[in-house]
Amino acid sequence: ADKLDALSGLFAVKAIPTGSADPFGLRRSALGILNSLIAAGADFSVRAGLEAAAMQQPVAVSAEATAETALFVERRLQGVLAEQGFAFDVVDAVLAARGDNPIAAVRACVALSETVRQPWWSDAFTAYARAARITRGLNEQMALHEAAYVEPVEYELYAAYVAAEAALAAAPEPAVMLGETLRALQTPINTFFARVLVNAEEEAVRRARLALLQRIAQLPARVAELSKLQGF
């Protein structure tokens, strides 16, 4: 609490570390928060902690200052995870999803590091990436529309997606399940792309296909941003 208080208040008045200058030891305070949470195995939102500290300050703390402080702590977490030996791309992918919760980020780094070492991962990841790449430019969350499917492979991929989403939702730690879940989707995804034209001329069909691929692309969202992994 003391460290969160110091970070919140001093960032609010722009007493921010620059270069090697850190007269108030804010880098040390951030590392103290991270090391304490990781050692305790405690799930905790750093952002929520900073927001609570901001409400106790004798000066106004803007939303921008709190966001800047949270990013400062996350950058220290990036260093902590790198020092623990996790690959830089794994760290970047995990922080994009779990940078606000240090121990959750550690769990995801452990699980994802194990996953990417598996002999089947490259093929499973390639299949997933096809779905993610074709939908990454969409500016809207498209609605699933099963009634618009016209090919058996669409129903097969939809069923595989529903099973994958349910498995991840039910898992105590989805990071542990993510690799095998994407592996199970590999064949349905590849078959889908081999047998249908995603960007069909008929709008309803096209949107239904893109919506399904968009949902598949979003499956890892609670664990990591997989587009940050090498080979995407």
Side-chain angles (χ1 to χ4, degrees):
D2 178 63
K3 291 173 173 60
L4 288 165
D5 176 77
L7 284 163
S8 177
L10 289 166
F11 265 76
V13 297
K14 304 298 182 182
I16 301 170
T18 56
S20 60
D22 186 9
F24 299 103
L26 294 186
R27 293 188 182 96
R28 185 170 62 251
S29 292
L31 287 171
I33 292 169
L34 297 171
N35 291 331
S36 294
L37 291 171
I38 292 170
D43 283 288
F44 182 84
S45 167
V46 172
R47 181 64 175 264
L50 289 169
E51 289 172 350
M55 295 180 67
Q56 307 300 319
Q57 299 302 324
V59 297
V61 183
S62 68
E64 292 76 13
T66 297
E68 187 177 9
T69 314
L71 181 59
F72 177 81
V73 177
E74 184 179 313
R75 286 174 177 159
R76 308 285 84 70
L77 177 57
Q78 184 179 37
V80 168
L81 295 171
E83 288 176 1
Q84 291 186 8
F86 297 115
F88 76 92
D89 61 328
V90 168
V91 172
D92 287 348
V94 166
L95 289 182
R98 295 191 174 187
D100 186 49
N101 186 338
I103 192 59
V106 171
R107 292 196 302 266
C109 281
V110 170
L112 190 55
S113 296
E114 178 64 24
T115 296
V116 301
R117 287 194 291 265
Q118 299 305 311
W120 45 261
W121 170 248
S122 179
D123 290 338
F125 184 48
T126 297
Y128 165 80
R130 295 182 75 181
R133 283 196 295 264
I134 203 170
T135 57
R136 67 191 309 183
L138 296 177
N139 296 319
E140 62 174 303
Q141 177 71 11
M142 306 184 79
L144 286 172
H145 187 28
E146 187 181 358
Y149 299 157
V150 295
E151 300 290 343
V153 291
E154 293 173 284
Y155 293 100
E156 291 165 8
L157 182 57
Y158 175 76
Y161 158 73
V162 170
E165 196 279 333
L168 290 173
E173 174 49 82
V176 175
M177 292 287 298
L178 181 61
E180 289 290 350
T181 300
L182 296 183
R183 185 185 185 188
L185 284 167
Q186 177 185 329
T187 296
I189 290 173
N190 288 339
T191 303
F192 177 87
F193 276 104
R195 297 185 184 175
V196 305
L197 177 64
V198 176
N199 290 311
E201 290 185 11
E202 186 178 343
E203 183 179 5
V205 174
R206 181 176 66 254
R207 290 179 64 87
R209 291 172 179 174
L210 286 171
L212 178 54
L213 294 174
Q214 185 181 51
R215 296 303 176 91
I216 290 170
Q218 293 168 350
L219 284 172
R222 291 189 296 139
V223 176
E225 175 51 70
L226 295 189
S227 67
K228 294 184 178 295
L229 291 180
Q230 285 188 325
F232 181 81

